[in-house]
Amino acid sequence: MPFAGEWQRELHPDWPEKRFHPPENIPYGWIYYARKGTRMGFGHTAIIELTPQRHIVKTPKPNPYNLQAQERNRAEVRAEYDVYQRIGPGCPYIPKLVAWDPETCCLSVEFLENGPLSTYLGNGPPESGIEVDKIDVQPAHRRRWALQVTRGLAALHALDIVHSDLGPGNVLLGGDLNVRIADFASSCTVGTRYEVCAGERYVVPGWSFRKPPEFADDIFILGCLVYFIMTGKEPHSDVESEFDVAKLYGEGKFPSVEGIECGGVIQGCWDGSLKSTDEVLQQLLEAFGVDDDPLGCPSPTLTHLPTSSVASSPPPRARRILLSPAAVVAVFLYSLSGSSLHSSSLPVFLPHLDMALDINTLRDVFFADVRTPEIGLGGLIVTSGMTNSIFYTIVAITIDQDATKFGLQDSDGEAVAKDDSPLRPGNYLIVSDQPATPSTKAFFTRALSNSAGTRLESFKNQVRDRDRRCVITKVEARLGPLYNHWTSFESAHVVPIAYPAEWRRCGFSNVVTIPPPPPRESDSINSVQNGLLMQSSVHQLFDSYDFSILPEADYKIVFFKPDFLGIAGQHLDRQLLDDARRPPDAFLRWHFEQAVYANVRGAGEPNLDFDFPPGSDMMGEISRAPKGAERMQFELFTRLGASQILED
């Protein structure tokens, strides 16, 4: 949660002194930092801001609750500075280094106002929220950018640096319409070890975490990048699944390059016939017939760089591995196909999981009352499909107010429309007649529910008969109806059976129109209307409140944690919604409110561990963990009280 920086005093002389300091009593789990400028992004390890001097500053994420994680974040930015040091000030294809603070590990670099090529050539809004005036991109611009990224990569290779993540999101466009290669936190040297998997459509065939970094890997990615520059589309953009893209690459099947001016060069990057950036550059110049690069660096050998800048700094060391959620899934699934992206490579990054960060450090939206902006009321992680309208609903639940009774404004004081525009990361203030305070409504801890026991047999069977597939992922249980083989599919309760008093308080028994069959008809919480069929892993996420379903948003699937399944923003389909046996909106709304309390309100609720190996002291571990008493109640009820009938 940011508080005002010293640079804002002149801009806002009327602000009280307390806005320039963190609150005296910081709630557990909250992390405050002094704002250095306008927020531009929130990466895995750093906060990215635009200073009043129009420089980009990367600040390692602080984490006083996990000093080991905090030091890893600092090491990432420190390693990026090492790359800038080695490159020196003479390369025109890299953003200029402005400043480095060795004490705080804050890195300041040149601001390139047109942002990444991924958004400039794409159709979506800029992630930073700063609008840019786009030109009508001409073939000469595309030729220029293809040459410049090739020369920039050549500059890195001349210093024995493998970029490893040269996607369009890491190529920045300046106001002079020249591009620079950026983001070296994931870079490594030849012969070390990879730290990241490149973007989902930029994974080189045969890639694995144990594969030593090679220039050839960067050249393959360069082919994908030039393809994007020349066409405005990512490779295999017509293929939805990243796993399928990786599989096509592994089979040597690449997008058609017919009609692309430098199609042969792109194909040479993909099939490995071009071995170096020198060869790629030469082939591009021959294909274009003209050098449209005004920066004028004809040689990729970096003879223009001072020798001292190359030798004065040690090579970047191997650091921890960071994967985008979709890349994790794509790489892991691809490993199952038997290719060299094999599961034996996974231990390279799995050991880092025992140093897990608090999931709330990924929050990139925060909100507070306009009267006390220094006191955060909540925060969330922006996931796919999160809109301004949904954000209003979430805030309303958090502060227990009607969404029509307050407004929201962004950090620039602009009113936020209650519409379906994508929610942007940032800080928001609640404007209302009365001060906004967190809701005091109860959060009900739950473990992973199951449908074991005779009491739940009819519930399980009725849910299976109605849905016959995971209603979230739409994956069909093909063997279930035919052979009664439902492995990996589970009947999930929307409102958990462990809280009969809450069921009665909400009057849910009066909402049920299809009671369980005799003799359990009074056990309304086990009505088919309180159930959904889900795949086992999805069921766990549902019970953990990682995602929920918002009826008011056309039954949209809203993720509150990073979405590894690629389903955030999708909707329940009409097959379920048109069925009279489906869960009523009141049940889904109850679950959604609980998800808000768990993930958004204040610092959020603690994450619970559900993995108890045989022989472990399960009850002891539960009782010692956060929310131990509440969770023990849940476990005892679901495990020992399943034979009891709820008398409504």
Side-chain angles (χ1 to χ4, degrees):
M1 184 73 182
F3 57 88
E6 290 298 317
W7 59 277
Q8 293 178 286
R9 288 187 183 274
E10 292 186 11
L11 297 176
H12 304 281
D14 56 330
W15 279 4
E17 181 63 26
K18 65 180 181 179
R19 293 199 63 169
F20 297 89
H21 305 278
E24 293 183 4
N25 298 314
I26 298 177
Y28 181 82
W30 284 86
I31 300 174
Y32 283 81
Y33 65 92
R35 179 183 286 172
K36 296 181 176 65
T38 302
R39 186 166 170 176
M40 300 290 287
F42 209 68
H44 287 285
T45 58
I47 302 162
I48 304 171
E49 296 168 302
L50 176 63
T51 69
Q53 296 78 27
R54 305 288 285 178
H55 299 147
I56 290 294
V57 59
K58 298 183 73 171
T59 303
K61 286 183 179 178
N63 191 343
Y65 307 101
N66 188 335
L67 297 181
Q68 194 172 27
Q70 178 173 275
E71 177 52 35
R72 288 202 308 273
N73 295 342
R74 292 165 63 91
E76 291 285 340
V77 182
R78 193 182 297 120
E80 184 164 9
Y81 167 69
D82 288 343
V83 174
Y84 277 103
Q85 276 288 89
R86 298 183 68 204
I87 293 172
C91 181
Y93 304 109
I94 306 297
K96 291 181 174 61
L97 175 65
V98 175
W100 167 250
D101 185 340
E103 183 175 344
T104 62
C105 291
C106 289
L107 176 71
S108 298
V109 297
E110 173 187 12
F111 172 54
L112 299 166
E113 51 266 57
N114 281 321
L117 280 184
S118 55
T119 54
Y120 194 87
L121 293 180
N123 296 320
E127 294 181 5
S128 65
I130 297 179
E131 298 292 342
V132 298
D133 294 326
K134 296 184 179 181
I135 63 166
D136 183 13
V137 177
Q138 300 297 316
H141 294 112
R142 299 183 189 276
R143 291 193 296 265
R144 173 195 299 188
W145 298 337
L147 291 170
Q148 289 176 342
V149 295
T150 303
R151 284 173 168 147
L153 185 60
L156 295 174
H157 285 188
L159 296 174
D160 204 30
I161 297 171
V162 177
H163 189 284
S164 82
D165 191 18
L166 189 60
N170 288 331
V171 177
L172 305 180
L173 182 64
D176 57 0
L177 297 181
N178 293 308
V179 296
R180 279 86 171 175
I181 296 175
D183 197 353
F184 305 110
S186 60
S187 298
C188 47
T189 54
V190 173
T192 57
R193 179 176 288 174
Y194 273 116
E195 305 158 15
V196 302
C197 177
E200 293 79 13
R201 298 177 188 274
Y202 299 80
V203 179
V204 61
W207 186 93
S208 79
F209 284 112
R210 289 188 175 179
K211 180 184 183 300
E214 300 178 86
F215 293 149
D217 302 341
D218 267 355
I219 291 173
F220 176 88
I221 299 175
L222 177 62
C224 298
L225 175 60
V226 174
Y227 178 90
F228 175 81
I229 290 172
M230 301 304 292
T231 66
K233 299 183 296 184
E234 290 193 306
H236 286 310
S237 59
D238 57 332
V239 179
E240 182 176 355
S241 167
E242 285 82 13
F243 169 65
D244 290 339
V245 172
K247 188 175 181 180
L248 289 171
Y249 284 168
E251 296 170 352
K253 298 177 181 178
F254 304 104
S256 171
V257 293
E258 184 178 355
I260 301 176
E261 190 173 3
C262 58
V265 184
I266 296 172
Q267 188 65 46
C269 292
W270 287 340
D271 63 26
S273 60
L274 295 179
K275 306 295 185 183
S276 69
T277 49
D278 294 278
E279 293 182 26
V280 175
L281 179 60
Q282 185 62 37
Q283 293 287 329
L284 284 175
L285 290 171
E286 291 181 7
F288 295 154
V290 62
D291 189 343
D292 284 311
D293 178 8
L295 297 182
C297 183
S299 171
T301 58
L302 287 195
T303 55
H304 63 287
L305 287 183
T307 305
S308 60
S309 69
V310 176
S312 61
S313 181
R317 51 189 172 78
R319 299 177 298 280
R320 69 187 179 97
I321 295 161
L322 292 173
L323 283 169
S324 71
V328 171
V329 175
V331 171
F332 178 71
L333 291 178
Y334 192 41
S335 72
L336 302 181
S337 68
S339 70
S340 57
L341 282 177
H342 48 77
S343 58
S344 63
S345 67
L346 295 180
V348 175
F349 69 91
L350 288 179
H352 295 293
L353 297 181
D354 62 356
M355 300 179 289
L357 297 171
D358 183 344
I359 193 70
N360 286 326
T361 62
L362 296 179
R363 284 179 169 181
D364 49 10
V365 164
F366 302 90
F367 56 91
D369 185 83
V370 69
R371 301 168 183 81
T372 53
E374 72 281 0
I375 301 177
L377 298 177
L380 56 82
I381 303 168
V382 175
T383 57
S384 180
M386 188 74 73
T387 65
N388 290 344
S389 178
I390 293 176
F391 184 44
Y392 265 93
T393 300
I394 290 173
V395 172
I397 294 170
T398 304
I399 64 176
D400 197 18
Q401 286 192 25
D402 189 317
T404 63
K405 303 297 184 182
F406 65 87
L408 293 170
Q409 65 182 34
D410 60 23
S411 56
D412 295 325
E414 297 293 330
V416 178
K418 192 185 301 182
D419 57 19
D420 291 331
S421 299
L423 176 65
R424 291 175 174 171
N427 306 303
Y428 295 86
L429 295 176
I430 302 168
V431 182
S432 61
D433 293 337
Q434 300 296 325
T437 57
S439 166
T440 57
K441 289 185 176 179
F443 168 70
F444 292 89
T445 301
R446 68 188 290 174
L448 301 183
S449 62
N450 60 70
S451 50
T454 57
R455 171 170 169 248
L456 303 179
E457 191 70 20
S458 63
F459 167 80
K460 175 178 64 179
N461 292 336
Q462 287 184 320
V463 171
R464 287 174 174 176
D465 180 66
R466 181 195 65 201
D467 295 338
R468 300 188 173 214
R469 75 204 193 289
C470 174
V471 297
I472 304 300
T473 64
K474 314 302 189 294
V475 173
E476 295 185 11
R478 297 181 181 275
L479 299 180
L482 293 175
Y483 303 103
N484 197 31
H485 185 78
W486 297 90
T487 301
S488 81
F489 288 85
E490 298 174 356
S491 299
H493 284 83
V494 179
V495 181
I497 61 174
Y499 298 111
E502 174 68 2
W503 179 266
R504 297 188 186 98
R505 186 192 69 81
C506 295
F508 286 155
S509 59
N510 299 323
V511 180
V512 171
T513 59
I514 306 175
R520 307 289 189 187
E521 60 268 24
S522 62
D523 192 13
S524 60
I525 201 169
N526 284 306
S527 164
V528 64
Q529 292 178 281
N530 190 33
L532 293 169
L533 190 65
M534 301 181 189
Q535 290 172 280
S536 302
S537 58
V538 178
H539 181 191
Q540 292 183 24
L541 297 177
F542 185 75
D543 278 3
S544 300
Y545 299 114
D546 281 28
F547 78 90
S548 190
I549 300 158
L550 182 58
E552 299 96 310
D554 194 22
Y555 303 92
K556 180 179 283 189
I557 299 168
V558 179
F559 264 76
F560 294 90
K561 301 283 175 62
D563 171 24
F564 287 81
L565 302 176
I567 56 178
Q570 297 183 19
H571 301 261
L572 297 183
D573 59 25
R574 299 312 311 181
Q575 179 178 332
L576 174 66
L577 296 177
D578 291 341
D579 194 313
R581 298 169 292 174
R582 74 167 177 89
D585 289 358
F587 297 178
L588 298 175
R589 173 72 183 206
W590 183 92
H591 185 276
F592 188 87
E593 290 178 356
Q594 289 294 306
V596 171
Y597 301 150
N599 297 287
V600 179
R601 183 174 61 182
E605 297 293 331
N607 295 307
L608 303 180
D609 191 356
F610 301 112
D611 187 8
F612 300 101
S616 62
D617 181 13
M618 175 179 172
M619 291 304 177
E621 291 187 36
I622 289 176
S623 63
R624 291 188 295 270
K627 296 281 185 177
E630 294 93 329
R631 187 176 175 192
M632 186 70 74
Q633 173 189 344
F634 188 101
E635 294 285 353
L636 290 175
F637 185 93
T638 55
R639 295 173 186 275
L640 303 179
S643 61
Q644 299 176 4
I645 298 177
L646 299 179
E647 298 294 344
D648 292 304

